[in-house]
Amino acid sequence: MHKLTVLYPEPADRAAFEAYYRSTHLPLCAKLPGVQEITYALGICEPGDGPYYAIFQAAFADEAAMGAALASPEGQAVEADVANYATGGATVIPFAAESLPLG
């Protein structure tokens, strides 16, 4: 499995970030070809209490599937949209995920 994590620093306006993110950006992300799962959290710390306001994670079958999704027209639309809401920028971290068997 390959994952893409995006970390968002504190935005200029939390309410505007959240409204745009939920109504516009997440629906664009849901259209990424081959995406298997999307998780996210907003307001993960109080203003001034931490380095990040939000986190996003998308899972793909493998690195090739993630690369194809990001290079697709849908992926390009997702990337181009970030500047519309992420006033604090974004840190993107792609990685191969390993699982720890439990039990």
Side-chain angles (χ1 to χ4, degrees), residues 46-99:
E46 293 298 318
D49 283 353
Y52 300 109
Y53 162 72
I55 186 169
F56 167 91
Q57 195 166 73
F60 298 88
D62 53 34
E63 185 176 11
M66 187 183 77
L70 298 178
S72 71
E74 295 87 351
Q76 295 300 306
V78 167
E79 183 179 354
D81 189 50
V82 173
N84 293 325
Y85 66 91
T87 55
T91 300
V92 179
I93 307 166
F95 62 97
E98 297 182 45
S99 294

Side-chain angles (χ1 to χ4, degrees):
M1 176 173 290
H2 220 77
K3 294 195 175 188
L4 179 75
T5 297
V6 182
L7 300 170
Y8 295 100
E10 187 68 36
D13 181 335
R14 282 182 167 216
F17 181 108
E18 182 173 346
Y20 189 91
Y21 194 72
R22 289 184 189 276
S23 68
T24 303
H25 193 70
L26 287 174
L28 289 175
C29 294
K31 294 179 183 177
L32 288 168
V35 68
Q36 296 178 335
E37 178 183 48
I38 291 175
T39 58
Y40 67 96
L42 304 175
I44 58 177
C45 64
E46 293 298 318
D49 283 353
Y52 300 109
Y53 162 72
I55 186 169
F56 167 91
Q57 195 166 73
F60 298 88
D62 53 34
E63 185 176 11
M66 187 183 77
L70 298 178
S72 71
E74 295 87 351
Q76 295 300 306
V78 167
E79 183 179 354
D81 189 50
V82 173
N84 293 325
Y85 66 91
T87 55
T91 300
V92 179
I93 307 166
F95 62 97
E98 297 182 45
S99 294
L100 175 65
L102 301 176

